[in-house]
Amino acid sequence: MNRRRCATAAITVVCALTVLASPVQAAYAAPVPPPPATAPPAAAPPAPDRSLEEVRREIDALYRQAASATDAYNLADERAKKQSAEIVRLARAIVEGQARIADLKNRAGAAARAQYRNGGIPDEAKLVLTDDPQLFLSSVGRLQQGQKATKDLLAELAQRQTDLETYTKDAGAHWNRLEANRVQQARTKKQIETKIAAAEKLESRLEAAERERLLQLERDEQARAQTAWLGSGALDGIGGSASPQGKKAIAYATAQLGKPYVWGAEGPGSFDCSGLTSQAWASAGTGIPRTSQEQWRLLPRIDVKDMRPGDLIIYHADASHVGLYIGDGAIIHAPRPGRNVTVAGAGSMAILGVVRPDK
């Protein structure tokens, strides 16, 4: 009966997990839906006295905020996947543990029934009462083995029961964290959609010529930053070559050029910034964290002067963007919504630091 109850509980956990995980995965993979026409997100339209450069800065700020929220979304998704897998593992351990406990109890019961059939006289008493020396000597070893087996059985039974209680408690804790991450994902998803929609609304109010000029302003700003970075001597003395794995990561990223940026995407048809870098290194046989913030936090850091192709450059004070360094002062990255995977100057954005996945 206990075994059936535990099996039923475990199946319930797994089934509930399936129901919970489905919308999370769907939210992760689906493209951003267009904002409802009846309730557009708040965004200040470009007033006549506002310069196009001011509009560009506002759009850039909105996309930066969306990038930060995207990293939080991706991190919550990664944690939710791990917790889902852990809940399934614990559910299986509960079922297996209950089955083992039932088996141990059956064995203990069989020993008790055997003693009852023998008149309730313990084996030790029978041994003392025997008047056959040969039987006495041969039975001593069997008695000691039997005592040890009984002691081991009872000890294992107690340990299995303790383990079962721990598994059940851990499963509940993981379930609570999974639900908290699910709520966090929903919250950050809304933030991302709001910021992106606001930026797109600002840009959509521009005439075609203004949008082209906006793109040129964006390029000019990046070119100025890149020129200043190169002029600082940041690349002086850098001459390292890519490792075999780094070359594979670069080859993968190069093959993705021209594919669109989509928040939360990690290929094959679209990418966000850390989706591109994590998949590039996965293709080289090295798993790295999914988000740019986790890549910055967990991967080995190196000085810019020691940088080599294949390394990851982390950008902005909040580590909200990442690009794959390909040498000659350039990166491949997925810039933002509305842009495609492209080659850019490594110094075209504010560099926070450099990490090396295969160090």
Side-chain angles (χ1 to χ4, degrees):
M1 181 64 72
N2 289 337
R3 182 179 178 182
R4 284 201 302 272
R5 282 201 303 269
C6 187
T8 302
I11 291 170
T12 301
V13 170
V14 174
C15 291
L17 171 63
T18 301
V19 173
L20 178 61
S22 297
V24 173
Q25 183 65 27
Y28 182 85
V32 179
T38 56
D49 58 343
R50 294 177 66 202
S51 70
L52 198 57
E53 175 61 20
E54 289 174 323
V55 174
R56 185 197 68 79
R57 290 176 182 173
E58 184 174 352
I59 290 173
D60 183 64
L62 287 167
Y63 280 127
R64 284 279 309 281
Q65 293 165 16
S68 294
T70 297
D71 231 34
Y73 177 92
N74 290 337
L75 182 58
D77 181 77
E78 186 176 12
R79 288 174 175 171
K81 287 177 182 177
K82 290 180 181 178
Q83 285 152 4
S84 298
E86 184 63 13
I87 290 172
V88 171
R89 185 191 71 80
L90 289 168
R92 290 171 179 164
I94 289 171
V95 173
E96 293 169 0
Q98 188 61 50
R100 181 58 178 163
I101 287 173
D103 177 61
L104 292 170
K105 286 182 176 179
N106 288 337
R107 287 168 56 188
R113 288 191 296 273
Q115 184 175 346
Y116 176 78
R117 287 194 297 270
N118 290 335
I121 303 175
D123 290 337
E124 295 88 339
K126 292 180 182 179
L127 184 59
V128 171
L129 294 174
T130 184
D131 56 1
D132 185 340
Q134 185 64 37
L135 177 62
F136 178 86
L137 293 174
S138 63
S139 298
V140 167
R142 291 198 300 273
L143 179 59
Q144 291 175 336
Q145 291 176 352
Q147 289 175 331
K148 183 178 184 304
T150 300
K151 184 178 180 181
D152 291 347
L153 185 150
L154 294 175
E156 184 181 355
L157 179 60
Q159 184 61 52
R160 290 282 181 170
Q161 288 174 328
T162 299
D163 290 344
L164 194 60
E165 292 173 0
T166 301
Y167 293 154
T168 303
K169 183 178 179 180
D170 288 349
H174 277 285
W175 184 269
N176 290 336
R177 286 195 291 270
L178 179 64
E179 179 62 17
N181 274 317
R182 178 175 172 270
V183 171
Q184 175 65 18
Q185 278 184 275
R187 184 183 300 117
T188 54
K189 179 176 182 287
K190 184 176 180 180
Q191 291 173 355
I192 294 164
E193 291 174 338
T194 299
K195 298 299 182 183
I196 291 176
E200 289 176 342
K201 182 178 180 180
L202 274 175
E203 198 164 357
S204 70
R205 294 193 175 198
L206 300 174
E207 299 292 338
E210 290 177 313
R211 286 197 294 271
E212 184 61 33
R213 175 61 181 154
L214 187 72
L215 179 58
Q216 187 58 49
L217 288 172
E218 184 180 303
R219 291 169 178 163
D220 291 345
E221 175 62 26
Q222 293 170 356
R224 282 193 295 271
Q226 174 75 353
T227 300
W229 183 65
L230 293 175
S232 70
L235 292 183
D236 292 351
I238 293 182
S241 59
S243 66
Q245 284 184 305
K247 290 178 181 178
K248 291 179 181 178
I250 292 172
Y252 179 92
T254 301
Q256 313 314 313
L257 289 171
K259 293 184 179 180
Y261 177 107
V262 173
W263 69 268
E266 50 187 335
S270 58
F271 297 87
D272 64 17
C273 65
S274 56
L276 177 64
T277 54
S278 61
Q279 288 302 304
W281 272 98
S283 74
T286 298
I288 64 173
R290 169 65 178 85
T291 72
S292 59
Q293 291 174 347
E294 290 294 280
Q295 289 168 7
W296 173 243
R297 188 173 71 87
L298 298 175
L299 294 178
R301 299 179 186 180
I302 62 169
D303 291 335
V304 173
K305 63 182 179 60
D306 298 322
M307 184 169 58
R308 71 186 186 195
D311 290 341
L312 304 181
I313 303 181
I314 309 297
Y315 294 95
H316 309 307
D318 59 356
S320 58
H321 193 71
V322 60
L324 180 71
Y325 185 61
I326 59 174
D328 297 325
I331 59 168
I332 292 178
H333 72 142
R336 66 165 176 82
R339 301 289 184 261
N340 299 328
V341 176
T342 188
V343 174
S348 60
M349 297 167 283
I351 295 176
L352 177 62
V354 181
V355 295
R356 179 167 294 166
D358 60 343
K359 183 175 180 180

